[in-house]
Each structure stands twice: as structure tokens, then as C-alpha cells.
Amino acid sequence: MYKSDFPIFTTHPELVYLDSAASAQKPEVVIRAVDQFYRTSYANIHRGLYPLSVASTTAYEAVRKKVAAFLQAPSPQEIVFTKSGTEALNLLAEGLCQSLQENDEILLTELEHHANLVPWQQAAKKYRLILKFVRLTSSGELDLLHFSELINKRTKVVAVSHSSNVLGTIAPLPHLKKILREQGSDALFVIDACQSVPHFPVDVQESGADFLVFSGHKLYGPSGTGVLWGRAPLLAALPAYQTGGDMVQTVSSHEATWQEAPYKFEAGTPNIEGIIGLGAAIDYLQNIGMKKVSEHTASLTTMALEQFGGVPEIKLLSQPAPESGIVAFTVEGIHPHDLAELLAEQHVCIRAGHHCVAPLHAQLGISASNRLSIGIYNTEEDIEKFFVALKKSIQFFKTGHV
Amino acid sequence: MFDLYQQQILDRYKNPHHKGHIETFTHQADGANYVCGDEIHWEISLDEQGSVTGLKHDTRACAICTASADLLADQFLNQPAQKIPATTAEAVTELLGIPLSPTRLKCALLPLETLKQALEEA
């Protein structure tokens, strides 16, 4: 139904793309928005006094408003543009950790993507902080009892994936926030929403989050775009991450002062056309309606889960939430890399490896897995073709022929 | 279809000839390709003349990597150990007898690289 909105499938009509959790394909409206912006309105932002620069600045700032509305954020001034979700998390890890005391604690979970693990891990080393990890239950959910046990007065940051990019399980954010409140914790609540924002409505106020991060390329927007949302007083208190042009207010040879948030976090010329494209991607999703997007994802994921149940060689890594659009699995007798290759020969694209979550795989006792992930362009026919290709691959590895 | 997975590769993957451990070995090394999840462990025993008298791999890897390890063990067992550092990437590709993309080349070369490392570290 939505597939025809994406030119890649006109170029490759045979393509069954089931790797949207790694990066999503781009709709025509995004491609056209970037193209049109270059052709009609491009100039640097926040600088020129000529009409083209004013037009460029207006278009860029309009996306800030769109993102704020998309996340139900109270103000566009709470939206910081970054080059990726990873950069947003690095900004937070460095900015928040430098003011902590030695032996203060950062609480993560055992399923974090490397982007929400390594920046905290490195900041913890640098500032002598302690990292702790919330355990998972056997079905891949966060162990809420363990979460509650780990909270103490020294817990200063809690950073959690909203939707796991491997397990497809969804963290109950308001519930986690409630536990924090009940324990009287003043820990800052950071959400990695890279995998949730593309699939279902995310309301930053309802989530109880203090900061939330997502990446543009997983949201059908251009790569090189990311978003950091933070509560206004917290952004105001957060130190600048990179310095240089545009983020400064006054500069002398030996001193400089910063602009207010969000501008103090946007040093240098940003990915202007990328942000314009991100705005078009958000418009595209809003026109469909995030509720409908979520139903689409859930219906295809449910269909895939049902069909996986009929393949005895399959072992699922978790019981994913249907609206996550993610199913990770292994196939008995076939290494994940081989399966991805066999499927690729049948025009089916899925991920193989540890999906940037090596510690979780180590804990599951496997070195790698396969992952199928759904996008708005996927159809029931895609899921059917995936299972035909999967069964053919299993048959081939068993018998040496198809 | 599935040209990469010739009978030889599949056979060696499913029933490798040289998988296992050696009771007393003189050299060992672990290698991993973190992107795709290939893991290999080599155990080697050399005699005083520098000949390979025992060679076993313990792989948790894809078919290409496992077959490469197993075919290399065929090549090096009961041969002078100098043969190992002298073996090139091209020789491995030839041994496997299949065209390899840059990603799959990494799978194919992991066993040889790890084996070379085992000898260097001794």
C-alpha cells in the first residue's frame, strides 16, 4: 500500500527489504524535499541577511517545530539537531557525567545498543563513575524488581532503550519513572527512542523522560540527522558539547560565551538539507498517522511471528512486542551470516550479526543472530516471500540442493 | 542459486575433519570477526623440527569460515610450519574455489590470520 511511495522499490521491484531497524528506505517526498531545497532555497542558516538565507533559516527552524509537535514536546527550543542518535547520546553522556561525583552511578540495561552503552561506559571511566545494568527476564523484558533494587541515592542517570533493537521488547517508561519517583530518586531519565519513534506515537511528556534521543535515518529521513529532546531547564544547565561557529554569542581572542539552547549544541553548519528531509519524513508519517503506522507494523510482525511458529528449525531470541517491528532469531544448523547470504540471493534483505549489541549476545550464549525488521513499505507479500526464501535456505543447508 | 555453497563447503561445515582439541599443544590463538559473529580457536602442536604434528580448530562460525579453517588444516598438517606465514589470501580463495565478496573474504581469511597470529605469539 505504501510501497509505491518509495522509489527504491521501483528501481528494484524484486526487493524484499526487511532491515529497516538498521536503516529505513526513503519516500519520494523526502527525496524531493532535499532536491527542491537545494534547487530553490539553499543558503547557510542563522547568518546571511539576504532573502535566501532567511528562507533557509525559516525552513530549518520550521522542522524544529515539526519535531516538537511530533514528540509532543512543550517547545521547539527543547529540540536539538545532531548528526545522529549516537552523537546525541555522546553529547548527553559527556555533558551529564562531567558534573557527577566519583562513584556516582549510571544505570543502564543489559539490552542497550552500543550507542547507549559505550558513551556511558567511556564517561564512567573518565569520571570514575559506576555502571550498573538492569537484568532481563527470560522473555527479554526488563526485570522491574531488579530495576527497583538497583536504584539508590547515588544513581544519577538512568538510560534505557525504549524499544530494543534486538529483542523487540518495549520498556514501560511511565512505570520506570513511577519507580524512580517512589524511590525518591533524582536520577535523570534518558530514553534511546531510535527504534520506537519510527513505529508508534511517542509522547515525551507522558514518557516521564528528561531526555530522549532518536535518529533521522531510521525514521525514513536522510542519514546524518539526529534529534535530542531535553526538558528546557536541563538543556540550559547542560554544557556545550562542541564549540565553534553559530553556537557562540560573543567571542574575543581568549573568551567566548554561548547562545542559549538549542543553538549552543549546534556548532558549525549543520546538515541543513538533511534536517529539511527529516521534516518531510515526519510530515509523511503524520499524514498516514502514527496510529496507523503502528497498526501496520504490528499486523506484519504478528503475521511473521505466527509463521515462525511453523518452522521447527527456528529459535526466537525473545517474545517481541508486535508494534516493535523486530523479530530476532537463529536457525538450527545455519550460521546467521550464511542465512543472510542465502536470503540475499533470493532478494531478501535481513540483518546478521550482533546488531550492535554484543554483550546481550554473549549473555544469550550466541555469537550472532538474524533479525527481521519491518518498515512502513513492507507488505504481507514481503513476509510470505521471506518465509519461502527461509524454507528454501533451510532445505538447501540440510540436503545440499533446493 | 547458492553458488557460494558448493558441496565441499557445505560438507566441511557440517562435518569438519579437523574440529576439536589437542591434548598437549605448543601454540594457540583465538580470532573473531565481530561484525558477523565468526569465532575461531586454533590449537597447534609443532615438533622440534618445526613440523605441524597436530592442528585442530574449534569454530563457531559461518560455512565459509569453517570450511576455510578445515581446508587449511588439510594443507598444513604434517607440513613445515613456515608454510603458514607464507600462505597468501589468494591461496585461501583458490582453496575454497568460490568468488568472495569483500565481506565474505573476511570470513574466509579469519582462520589463516588467526593461525599466523598463533605462531607469532609463541
Side-chain angles (χ1 to χ4, degrees):
Chain A
M1 187 164 48
Y2 303 107
K3 198 168 237 181
S4 58
D5 297 339
F6 292 77
I8 192 102
F9 300 111
T10 310
T11 315
H12 304 286
E14 71 292 352
L15 186 67
V16 177
Y17 188 78
L18 292 167
D19 196 20
S20 299
S23 197
Q25 299 295 341
K26 314 307 169 196
E28 176 74 36
V29 285
V30 167
I31 300 167
R32 206 182 303 147
V34 175
D35 182 84
Q36 282 302 304
F37 179 71
Y38 271 140
R39 289 176 195 280
T40 62
S41 319
Y42 185 81
N44 211 332
I45 54 165
H46 303 146
R47 288 165 175 80
L49 295 170
Y50 44 88
L52 210 52
S53 176
V54 174
S56 188
T57 306
T58 306
Y60 183 85
E61 291 303 325
V63 180
R64 214 185 288 280
K65 285 187 195 137
K66 267 177 206 174
V67 175
F70 185 59
L71 296 176
Q72 312 288 329
S75 156
Q77 303 311 107
E78 294 187 344
I79 303 299
V80 178
F81 291 126
T82 62
K83 75 173 162 64
S84 59
T86 298
E87 187 181 54
L89 288 163
N90 274 275
L91 185 162
L92 283 177
E94 177 57 33
L96 295 176
C97 291
Q98 61 180 257
S99 59
L100 299 184
Q101 307 295 314
E102 197 172 322
N103 293 327
D104 277 348
E105 295 179 9
I106 312 281
L107 184 56
L108 307 174
T109 81
E110 284 180 343
L111 54 66
E112 295 312 316
H113 186 283
H114 294 167
N116 196 33
L117 165 62
V118 185
W120 301 109
Q121 177 193 87
Q122 296 305 308
K125 279 189 187 182
K126 192 168 163 188
Y127 300 110
R128 297 165 189 269
L129 310 171
I130 294 168
L131 282 186
K132 289 191 170 170
F133 297 90
V134 181
R135 273 196 306 257
L136 306 180
T137 65
S138 54
S139 58
E141 310 280 345
L142 298 183
D143 182 336
L144 295 180
L145 195 65
H146 192 228
F147 177 79
S148 146
E149 282 166 13
L150 289 176
I151 304 291
N152 64 56
K153 281 195 181 117
R154 302 216 72 110
T155 314
K156 297 300 175 192
V157 177
V158 175
V160 174
S161 278
H162 192 186
S163 173
S164 160
N165 74 310
V166 178
L167 301 178
T169 48
I170 293 170
L173 301 183
H175 193 96
L176 296 179
K177 181 69 182 180
K178 190 168 155 252
I179 295 174
L180 286 172
R181 208 176 299 128
E182 280 168 3
Q183 303 246 13
S185 172
D186 60 355
L188 292 167
F189 194 27
V190 176
I191 308 304
D192 172 359
C194 288
Q195 296 293 350
S196 57
V197 159
H199 291 291
F200 49 89
V202 173
D203 180 328
V204 288
Q205 305 195 63
E206 206 178 84
S207 71
D210 293 305
F211 295 99
L212 180 139
V213 162
F214 72 87
S215 70
H217 72 97
K218 289 186 166 83
L219 194 71
Y220 311 98
S223 56
T225 61
V227 166
L228 162 66
W229 166 81
R231 293 188 188 280
L234 297 174
L235 283 182
L238 200 64
Y241 177 58
Q242 289 186 333
T243 54
D246 208 23
M247 58 79 69
V248 285
Q249 199 167 42
T250 61
V251 182
S252 67
S253 295
H254 295 281
E255 293 298 334
T257 60
W258 315 147
Q259 294 220 57
E260 289 184 355
Y263 309 107
K264 77 170 169 186
F265 300 109
E266 295 178 13
T269 298
N271 183 357
I272 308 171
E273 61 279 21
I275 295 300
I276 299 302
L278 177 62
I282 290 174
D283 285 343
Y284 175 74
L285 289 171
Q286 296 279 50
N287 283 338
I288 296 170
M290 284 311 290
K291 200 165 164 282
K292 248 190 182 166
V293 171
S294 171
E295 285 164 6
H296 176 84
T297 305
S299 115
L300 292 182
T301 312
T302 304
M303 178 181 168
L305 285 170
E306 277 167 14
Q307 297 210 23
F308 271 124
V311 187
E313 293 84 357
I314 292 289
K315 196 172 167 239
L316 298 183
L317 264 59
S318 64
Q319 270 308 317
E323 65 268 35
S324 72
I326 284 170
V327 187
F329 60 95
T330 53
V331 183
E332 196 191 326
I334 312 185
H335 188 274
H337 200 176
D338 290 320
L339 182 70
E341 176 107 33
L342 295 169
L343 293 179
E345 286 199 34
Q346 302 169 82
H347 313 295
V348 176
C349 310
I350 64 160
R351 181 85 183 257
H354 52 47
H355 328 305
C356 297
V357 194
L360 176 63
H361 277 81
Q363 200 189 317
L364 294 169
I366 51 178
S367 59
S369 63
N370 288 113
R371 180 186 67 189
L372 166 159
S373 56
I374 306 282
I376 187 71
Y377 29 70
N378 288 125
T379 58
E380 290 188 355
E381 198 191 344
D382 286 343
I383 303 297
E384 278 157 16
K385 282 182 178 167
F386 164 80
F387 279 97
V388 169
L390 174 70
K391 286 172 187 168
K392 208 181 261 187
S393 307
I394 293 173
Q395 162 86 0
F396 175 72
F397 250 57
K398 269 193 181 157
T399 63
H401 53 81
V402 278
Chain B
M1 202 186 282
F2 306 152
D3 291 344
L4 204 55
Y5 298 93
Q6 290 170 355
Q7 201 58 45
Q8 171 183 249
I9 309 269
L10 274 186
D11 286 348
R12 292 287 182 146
Y13 175 62
K14 285 197 261 184
N15 299 302
H17 303 179
H18 305 282
K19 192 177 168 98
H21 296 273
I22 299 173
E23 216 161 277
T24 49
F25 49 82
T26 54
H27 300 71
Q28 63 165 332
D30 293 297
N33 183 346
Y34 289 109
V35 177
C36 72
D38 286 339
E39 289 174 4
I40 183 163
H41 170 76
W42 277 113
E43 290 173 4
I44 313 160
S45 58
L46 301 187
D47 65 12
E48 281 171 8
Q49 285 74 46
S51 263
V52 180
T53 54
L55 186 54
K56 292 278 188 192
H57 64 86
D58 187 15
T59 45
R60 285 212 305 177
C62 65
I64 307 296
C65 180
T66 308
S68 170
D70 217 54
L71 292 168
L72 283 171
D74 271 358
Q75 294 286 306
F76 297 137
L77 197 59
N78 301 319
Q79 296 291 318
Q82 299 104 286
K83 260 194 150 181
I84 294 170
T87 303
T88 61
E90 290 72 29
V92 176
T93 324
E94 212 169 292
L95 196 61
L96 286 164
I98 45 170
L100 293 166
S101 69
T103 323
R104 293 325 288 261
L105 194 60
K106 278 190 192 157
C107 307
L109 293 180
L110 179 68
L112 178 65
E113 284 162 6
T114 311
L115 205 45
K116 286 182 180 178
Q117 201 186 311
L119 295 182
E120 280 164 18
E121 279 172 8

